[in-house]
Amino acid sequence: VTVVSGQDVNDIDFGNFELVTLSGVKYEDQDGDGVKGQGEPGLEGWTIQLDLDADDSVDLTTQTAADGSYSFADVGPGTHRIREVLQQGWTPTTADPDDVTVVSGQDVNDIDFGNFELVTIAGMKFEDIDGDGERDAGEPGLEGWTIQLLDPVTGGVLDETQTLGDGTYSFSNLGPVPGAYRVREVLQD
């Protein structure tokens, strides 16, 4: 500051931003409802990305801990984006979180991600020779029968398949639905 006689200088200010921590939990949403329920475990070893300034770049990554927790410490001012890296065989049950505009000294600790591990529904169509409702030794599988997977809400057919030579069938990579899936056979003459 160069001073001039009689002229006070009074606008020499200092501003500071207290760095924050952004954190959350990555969990297995076992019922697929998008809410972390009691007893739903954290998922370890998932990659979480931090995009500083929400400019569609990955600036930092971290791995979730054994309890599914993660955190990014010492984050400065701005609007930031946090995303998970999906793993094969899983589907998200929570929407991507909104971008976070941080305020000095105010940590954000509820940036959570829920995922549902995709499942397979499988079974067998067999000839019940003695009619007892159970598959006994020697009762063969039936090939070429149509098995349908029904929507629990509408009752409509979501998918259908044919039984294999040994009578087995399966529907794979199924995610959560409201209600329960229904499986039915299409009867033959």
Side-chain angles (χ1 to χ4, degrees), residues 15-188:
N16 287 77
F17 183 93
E18 185 178 355
L19 300 176
V20 301
T21 297
L22 305 178
S23 63
V25 173
K26 170 77 184 146
Y27 64 95
E28 182 178 1
D29 191 358
Q30 296 173 327
D31 58 8
D33 67 356
V35 177
K36 185 172 186 335
Q38 188 171 12
E40 290 183 327
L43 293 171
E44 180 179 11
W46 287 63
T47 300
I48 306 295
Q49 301 173 330
L50 174 59
D51 173 2
L52 297 171
D53 299 321
D55 61 359
D56 294 324
S57 65
V58 176
D59 298 298
L60 297 170
T61 63
T62 191
Q63 299 291 308
T64 56
D67 64 354
S69 64
Y70 73 90
S71 67
F72 295 98
D74 299 327
V75 176
T79 299
H80 310 301
R81 182 173 296 147
I82 295 183
R83 295 292 182 261
E84 66 178 328
V85 176
L86 287 176
Q87 293 185 8
Q88 186 172 356
W90 293 80
T91 189
T93 60
T94 55
D96 282 337
D98 292 335
D99 293 348
V100 178
T101 302
V102 295
V103 175
S104 178
Q106 294 183 10
D107 295 336
V108 180
N109 58 13
D110 58 355
I111 309 168
D112 298 340
F113 296 93
N115 284 82
F116 182 90
E117 187 172 12
L118 300 175
V119 299
T120 295
I121 295 175
M124 173 177 279
K125 172 70 180 157
F126 64 94
E127 183 178 357
D128 190 2
I129 295 172
D130 61 5
D132 68 354
E134 296 181 17
R135 182 165 189 242
D136 301 316
E139 292 182 331
L142 296 173
E143 179 180 8
W145 285 67
T146 300
I147 307 296
Q148 297 177 328
L149 181 68
L150 304 180
D151 185 301
V153 175
T154 67
V157 176
L158 290 174
D159 196 5
E160 67 180 29
T161 190
Q162 300 293 311
T163 57
L164 301 176
D166 63 355
T168 60
Y169 69 89
S170 66
F171 299 98
S172 298
N173 296 319
L174 300 175
V177 295
Y181 286 108
R182 292 185 54 218
V183 180
R184 73 173 178 201
E185 64 179 333
V186 176
L187 290 175
Q188 296 182 7

